[in-house]
């Protein structure tokens, strides 16, 4: 029997535990705490929601997650991660496309993100979607004092175009 393709859906509080397992595997030095995920999800529902958090689920297992914050027309990719055994299958791209769709829904004019300067794989993914480097944040990642590359995707609001460019 072949495994089914991963499906994307809204992240809920009961996903926090399996998401944290991935988080600690993929970001061992600066993993988010449970409280950070709880706080993000607290802003993800209702008429004044400013967050969109998604998980990728395959055969009952959480294999990826990502989140976008949208404040005053600016989106921010807060986090995106895929289980190692799923890298290179296109799942990161699907998740990012969905988050950019959320940015369109929030009528964001631009989407920003920070990525470690040594994370070439993630940078390639973002470039593929049209993100461009705009600067550095020195020593952004602690411990380790690693710089962040800040990248930006300029988008169009829904009144100007039907969807975010770059997909
Ligand atoms: C960065 C990350 C999210 C990318 O996820 P991913 O699922 O591997 O991304 P994709 O599969 O969409 O793209 C990766 C590569 O697979 C290729 N690919 C895309 N679709 C594919 C498919 N259907 N079949 C085979 N390969 C495919 C892409 O062309 C891309 O190739 P490239 O490396 O030459 O650019 C993932 O590596 C990860 O979780 N890393 C650790 C956490 C992290 O660094 N997060 C980012 C923090 S800023």
């Amino acid at each position: 029997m072949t495994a089914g393709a991963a499906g994307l859906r809204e992240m809920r509080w009961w996903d926090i535990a399996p998401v944290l397992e991935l988080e600690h595997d993929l970001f061992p030095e600066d993993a988010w705490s449970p409280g950070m995920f709880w706080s993000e999800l607290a802003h993800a529902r209702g008429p004044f929601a400013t967050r969109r958090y998604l998980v990728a689920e395959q055969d009952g297992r959480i294999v990826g997650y990502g989140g976008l914050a949208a404040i005053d027309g600016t989106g921010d990719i807060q986090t995106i991660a895929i289980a190692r055994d799923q890298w290179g299958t296109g799942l990161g791209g699907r998740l990012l496309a969905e988050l950019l769709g959320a940015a369109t829904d929030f009528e964001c004019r631009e989407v920003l993100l920070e990525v470690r300067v040594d994370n070439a794989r993630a940078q390639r993914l973002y470039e593929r979607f049209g993100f461009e480097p705009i600067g550095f944040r020195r020593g952004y990642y602690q411990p380790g004092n690693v710089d962040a590359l800040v990248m930006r995707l300029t988008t169009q609001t829904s009144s100007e175009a039907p969807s975010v460019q770059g997909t």
Side-chain angles (χ1 to χ4, degrees), residues 89-111:
T89 64
L91 190 50
R94 283 174 56 205
L95 198 48
L96 185 55
E98 200 75 15
L99 293 175
L100 294 179
T104 299
D105 295 342
F106 282 121
E107 301 192 342
C108 294
R109 293 179 298 277
E110 60 176 4
V111 180

PDB file of all heavy atoms in Angstrom, residues 89-111:
ATOM      1  N   THR A  89      10.137  16.783  -1.353  1.00  0.00           N
ATOM      2  CA  THR A  89       8.935  16.216  -1.984  1.00  0.00           C
ATOM      3  C   THR A  89       7.983  17.307  -2.450  1.00  0.00           C
ATOM      4  O   THR A  89       6.906  17.017  -2.965  1.00  0.00           O
ATOM      5  CB  THR A  89       8.174  15.302  -0.998  1.00  0.00           C
ATOM      6  OG1 THR A  89       7.698  16.106   0.085  1.00  0.00           O
ATOM      7  CG2 THR A  89       9.064  14.188  -0.474  1.00  0.00           C
ATOM      8  N   GLY A  90       8.345  18.559  -2.215  1.00  0.00           N
ATOM      9  CA  GLY A  90       7.475  19.662  -2.616  1.00  0.00           C
ATOM     10  C   GLY A  90       6.559  20.132  -1.510  1.00  0.00           C
ATOM     11  O   GLY A  90       5.798  21.089  -1.691  1.00  0.00           O
ATOM     12  N   LEU A  91       6.635  19.474  -0.343  1.00  0.00           N
ATOM     13  CA  LEU A  91       5.714  19.828   0.739  1.00  0.00           C
ATOM     14  C   LEU A  91       5.984  21.229   1.288  1.00  0.00           C
ATOM     15  O   LEU A  91       5.049  21.987   1.571  1.00  0.00           O
ATOM     16  CB  LEU A  91       5.803  18.769   1.849  1.00  0.00           C
ATOM     17  CG  LEU A  91       4.756  18.826   2.943  1.00  0.00           C
ATOM     18  CD1 LEU A  91       3.337  18.906   2.376  1.00  0.00           C
ATOM     19  CD2 LEU A  91       4.894  17.609   3.865  1.00  0.00           C
ATOM     20  N   GLY A  92       7.268  21.585   1.419  1.00  0.00           N
ATOM     21  CA  GLY A  92       7.594  22.939   1.888  1.00  0.00           C
ATOM     22  C   GLY A  92       7.010  23.992   0.959  1.00  0.00           C
ATOM     23  O   GLY A  92       6.459  24.994   1.407  1.00  0.00           O
ATOM     24  N   GLY A  93       7.099  23.741  -0.333  1.00  0.00           N
ATOM     25  CA  GLY A  93       6.527  24.656  -1.313  1.00  0.00           C
ATOM     26  C   GLY A  93       5.018  24.751  -1.191  1.00  0.00           C
ATOM     27  O   GLY A  93       4.442  25.845  -1.284  1.00  0.00           O
ATOM     28  N   ARG A  94       4.366  23.617  -0.965  1.00  0.00           N
ATOM     29  CA  ARG A  94       2.894  23.638  -0.816  1.00  0.00           C
ATOM     30  C   ARG A  94       2.490  24.437   0.412  1.00  0.00           C
ATOM     31  O   ARG A  94       1.535  25.215   0.392  1.00  0.00           O
ATOM     32  CB  ARG A  94       2.366  22.207  -0.699  1.00  0.00           C
ATOM     33  CG  ARG A  94       2.319  21.464  -2.031  1.00  0.00           C
ATOM     34  CD  ARG A  94       1.924  20.015  -1.849  1.00  0.00           C
ATOM     35  NE  ARG A  94       0.659  19.871  -1.152  1.00  0.00           N
ATOM     36  CZ  ARG A  94       0.311  18.775  -0.441  1.00  0.00           C
ATOM     37  NH1 ARG A  94       1.140  17.767  -0.353  1.00  0.00           N
ATOM     38  NH2 ARG A  94      -0.856  18.718   0.151  1.00  0.00           N
ATOM     39  N   LEU A  95       3.228  24.219   1.488  1.00  0.00           N
ATOM     40  CA  LEU A  95       2.912  24.929   2.736  1.00  0.00           C
ATOM     41  C   LEU A  95       3.123  26.435   2.556  1.00  0.00           C
ATOM     42  O   LEU A  95       2.275  27.253   2.952  1.00  0.00           O
ATOM     43  CB  LEU A  95       3.820  24.372   3.844  1.00  0.00           C
ATOM     44  CG  LEU A  95       3.481  24.600   5.304  1.00  0.00           C
ATOM     45  CD1 LEU A  95       2.038  24.278   5.615  1.00  0.00           C
ATOM     46  CD2 LEU A  95       4.407  23.734   6.164  1.00  0.00           C
ATOM     47  N   LEU A  96       4.234  26.791   1.934  1.00  0.00           N
ATOM     48  CA  LEU A  96       4.520  28.212   1.720  1.00  0.00           C
ATOM     49  C   LEU A  96       3.468  28.846   0.807  1.00  0.00           C
ATOM     50  O   LEU A  96       2.989  29.959   1.075  1.00  0.00           O
ATOM     51  CB  LEU A  96       5.922  28.375   1.122  1.00  0.00           C
ATOM     52  CG  LEU A  96       6.427  29.804   0.938  1.00  0.00           C
ATOM     53  CD1 LEU A  96       6.385  30.595   2.240  1.00  0.00           C
ATOM     54  CD2 LEU A  96       7.849  29.801   0.359  1.00  0.00           C
ATOM     55  N   ALA A  97       3.063  28.131  -0.236  1.00  0.00           N
ATOM     56  CA  ALA A  97       2.033  28.657  -1.143  1.00  0.00           C
ATOM     57  C   ALA A  97       0.735  28.927  -0.375  1.00  0.00           C
ATOM     58  O   ALA A  97       0.066  29.950  -0.583  1.00  0.00           O
ATOM     59  CB  ALA A  97       1.789  27.671  -2.286  1.00  0.00           C
ATOM     60  N   GLU A  98       0.396  28.031   0.524  1.00  0.00           N
ATOM     61  CA  GLU A  98      -0.837  28.189   1.311  1.00  0.00           C
ATOM     62  C   GLU A  98      -0.719  29.397   2.258  1.00  0.00           C
ATOM     63  O   GLU A  98      -1.677  30.147   2.437  1.00  0.00           O
ATOM     64  CB  GLU A  98      -1.053  26.898   2.106  1.00  0.00           C
ATOM     65  CG  GLU A  98      -2.453  26.676   2.594  1.00  0.00           C
ATOM     66  CD  GLU A  98      -3.452  26.255   1.536  1.00  0.00           C
ATOM     67  OE1 GLU A  98      -3.046  25.840   0.427  1.00  0.00           O
ATOM     68  OE2 GLU A  98      -4.662  26.357   1.829  1.00  0.00           O
ATOM     69  N   LEU A  99       0.455  29.572   2.848  1.00  0.00           N
ATOM     70  CA  LEU A  99       0.654  30.728   3.736  1.00  0.00           C
ATOM     71  C   LEU A  99       0.592  32.034   2.946  1.00  0.00           C
ATOM     72  O   LEU A  99       0.060  33.046   3.423  1.00  0.00           O
ATOM     73  CB  LEU A  99       1.987  30.618   4.485  1.00  0.00           C
ATOM     74  CG  LEU A  99       2.078  29.476   5.504  1.00  0.00           C
ATOM     75  CD1 LEU A  99       3.489  29.405   6.092  1.00  0.00           C
ATOM     76  CD2 LEU A  99       1.048  29.631   6.621  1.00  0.00           C
ATOM     77  N   LEU A 100       1.116  32.014   1.720  1.00  0.00           N
ATOM     78  CA  LEU A 100       1.048  33.225   0.889  1.00  0.00           C
ATOM     79  C   LEU A 100      -0.396  33.489   0.458  1.00  0.00           C
ATOM     80  O   LEU A 100      -0.810  34.637   0.310  1.00  0.00           O
ATOM     81  CB  LEU A 100       1.972  33.090  -0.323  1.00  0.00           C
ATOM     82  CG  LEU A 100       3.472  33.029   0.017  1.00  0.00           C
ATOM     83  CD1 LEU A 100       4.306  32.862  -1.244  1.00  0.00           C
ATOM     84  CD2 LEU A 100       3.913  34.271   0.790  1.00  0.00           C
ATOM     85  N   GLY A 101      -1.158  32.427   0.288  1.00  0.00           N
ATOM     86  CA  GLY A 101      -2.592  32.601   0.025  1.00  0.00           C
ATOM     87  C   GLY A 101      -3.270  33.276   1.206  1.00  0.00           C
ATOM     88  O   GLY A 101      -4.128  34.152   1.035  1.00  0.00           O
ATOM     89  N   ALA A 102      -2.858  32.903   2.416  1.00  0.00           N
ATOM     90  CA  ALA A 102      -3.408  33.549   3.616  1.00  0.00           C
ATOM     91  C   ALA A 102      -3.011  35.022   3.640  1.00  0.00           C
ATOM     92  O   ALA A 102      -3.805  35.885   4.026  1.00  0.00           O
ATOM     93  CB  ALA A 102      -2.907  32.836   4.872  1.00  0.00           C
ATOM     94  N   ALA A 103      -1.779  35.315   3.205  1.00  0.00           N
ATOM     95  CA  ALA A 103      -1.343  36.723   3.152  1.00  0.00           C
ATOM     96  C   ALA A 103      -2.246  37.511   2.207  1.00  0.00           C
ATOM     97  O   ALA A 103      -2.590  38.665   2.475  1.00  0.00           O
ATOM     98  CB  ALA A 103       0.120  36.803   2.696  1.00  0.00           C
ATOM     99  N   THR A 104      -2.626  36.902   1.104  1.00  0.00           N
ATOM    100  CA  THR A 104      -3.566  37.545   0.176  1.00  0.00           C
ATOM    101  C   THR A 104      -4.905  37.791   0.866  1.00  0.00           C
ATOM    102  O   THR A 104      -5.483  38.876   0.780  1.00  0.00           O
ATOM    103  CB  THR A 104      -3.778  36.672  -1.070  1.00  0.00           C
ATOM    104  OG1 THR A 104      -2.519  36.506  -1.725  1.00  0.00           O
ATOM    105  CG2 THR A 104      -4.761  37.315  -2.046  1.00  0.00           C
ATOM    106  N   ASP A 105      -5.386  36.781   1.598  1.00  0.00           N
ATOM    107  CA  ASP A 105      -6.664  36.927   2.317  1.00  0.00           C
ATOM    108  C   ASP A 105      -6.595  38.079   3.322  1.00  0.00           C
ATOM    109  O   ASP A 105      -7.573  38.792   3.531  1.00  0.00           O
ATOM    110  CB  ASP A 105      -7.020  35.632   3.049  1.00  0.00           C
ATOM    111  CG  ASP A 105      -7.278  34.489   2.091  1.00  0.00           C
ATOM    112  OD1 ASP A 105      -7.510  34.758   0.896  1.00  0.00           O
ATOM    113  OD2 ASP A 105      -7.234  33.319   2.531  1.00  0.00           O
ATOM    114  N   PHE A 106      -5.441  38.237   3.961  1.00  0.00           N
ATOM    115  CA  PHE A 106      -5.251  39.323   4.941  1.00  0.00           C
ATOM    116  C   PHE A 106      -4.945  40.656   4.255  1.00  0.00           C
ATOM    117  O   PHE A 106      -4.686  41.650   4.922  1.00  0.00           O
ATOM    118  CB  PHE A 106      -4.089  38.989   5.895  1.00  0.00           C
ATOM    119  CG  PHE A 106      -4.411  38.004   6.998  1.00  0.00           C
ATOM    120  CD1 PHE A 106      -3.712  36.812   7.101  1.00  0.00           C
ATOM    121  CD2 PHE A 106      -5.390  38.272   7.939  1.00  0.00           C
ATOM    122  CE1 PHE A 106      -3.974  35.906   8.133  1.00  0.00           C
ATOM    123  CE2 PHE A 106      -5.658  37.382   8.971  1.00  0.00           C
ATOM    124  CZ  PHE A 106      -4.952  36.189   9.066  1.00  0.00           C
ATOM    125  N   GLU A 107      -4.909  40.647   2.914  1.00  0.00           N
ATOM    126  CA  GLU A 107      -4.624  41.842   2.117  1.00  0.00           C
ATOM    127  C   GLU A 107      -3.260  42.440   2.449  1.00  0.00           C
ATOM    128  O   GLU A 107      -3.094  43.671   2.577  1.00  0.00           O
ATOM    129  CB  GLU A 107      -5.746  42.875   2.268  1.00  0.00           C
ATOM    130  CG  GLU A 107      -7.088  42.292   1.834  1.00  0.00           C
ATOM    131  CD  GLU A 107      -8.182  43.339   1.678  1.00  0.00           C
ATOM    132  OE1 GLU A 107      -8.030  44.449   2.216  1.00  0.00           O
ATOM    133  OE2 GLU A 107      -9.177  43.027   1.016  1.00  0.00           O
ATOM    134  N   CYS A 108      -2.266  41.573   2.565  1.00  0.00           N
ATOM    135  CA  CYS A 108      -0.897  42.032   2.821  1.00  0.00           C
ATOM    136  C   CYS A 108      -0.292  42.573   1.530  1.00  0.00           C
ATOM    137  O   CYS A 108      -0.445  41.990   0.467  1.00  0.00           O
ATOM    138  CB  CYS A 108      -0.030  40.878   3.333  1.00  0.00           C
ATOM    139  SG  CYS A 108      -0.535  40.283   4.957  1.00  0.00           S
ATOM    140  N   ARG A 109       0.421  43.672   1.631  1.00  0.00           N
ATOM    141  CA  ARG A 109       1.120  44.248   0.480  1.00  0.00           C
ATOM    142  C   ARG A 109       2.511  43.658   0.317  1.00  0.00           C
ATOM    143  O   ARG A 109       3.110  43.723  -0.746  1.00  0.00           O
ATOM    144  CB  ARG A 109       1.245  45.769   0.644  1.00  0.00           C
ATOM    145  CG  ARG A 109      -0.073  46.501   0.581  1.00  0.00           C
ATOM    146  CD  ARG A 109       0.131  47.989   0.775  1.00  0.00           C
ATOM    147  NE  ARG A 109       0.693  48.297   2.095  1.00  0.00           N
ATOM    148  CZ  ARG A 109      -0.034  48.408   3.203  1.00  0.00           C
ATOM    149  NH1 ARG A 109      -1.341  48.243   3.146  1.00  0.00           N
ATOM    150  NH2 ARG A 109       0.534  48.674   4.361  1.00  0.00           N
ATOM    151  N   GLU A 110       3.032  43.113   1.412  1.00  0.00           N
ATOM    152  CA  GLU A 110       4.360  42.491   1.360  1.00  0.00           C
ATOM    153  C   GLU A 110       4.409  41.402   2.420  1.00  0.00           C
ATOM    154  O   GLU A 110       3.639  41.421   3.392  1.00  0.00           O
ATOM    155  CB  GLU A 110       5.462  43.525   1.608  1.00  0.00           C
ATOM    156  CG  GLU A 110       5.342  44.192   2.955  1.00  0.00           C
ATOM    157  CD  GLU A 110       6.482  45.148   3.263  1.00  0.00           C
ATOM    158  OE1 GLU A 110       7.345  45.363   2.395  1.00  0.00           O
ATOM    159  OE2 GLU A 110       6.517  45.649   4.398  1.00  0.00           O
ATOM    160  N   VAL A 111       5.304  40.444   2.185  1.00  0.00           N
ATOM    161  CA  VAL A 111       5.519  39.378   3.160  1.00  0.00           C
ATOM    162  C   VAL A 111       7.021  39.333   3.454  1.00  0.00           C
ATOM    163  O   VAL A 111       7.840  39.312   2.531  1.00  0.00           O
ATOM    164  CB  VAL A 111       5.036  38.009   2.637  1.00  0.00           C
ATOM    165  CG1 VAL A 111       5.282  36.920   3.683  1.00  0.00           C
ATOM    166  CG2 VAL A 111       3.552  38.059   2.277  1.00  0.00           C
TER     167      VAL A 111
END
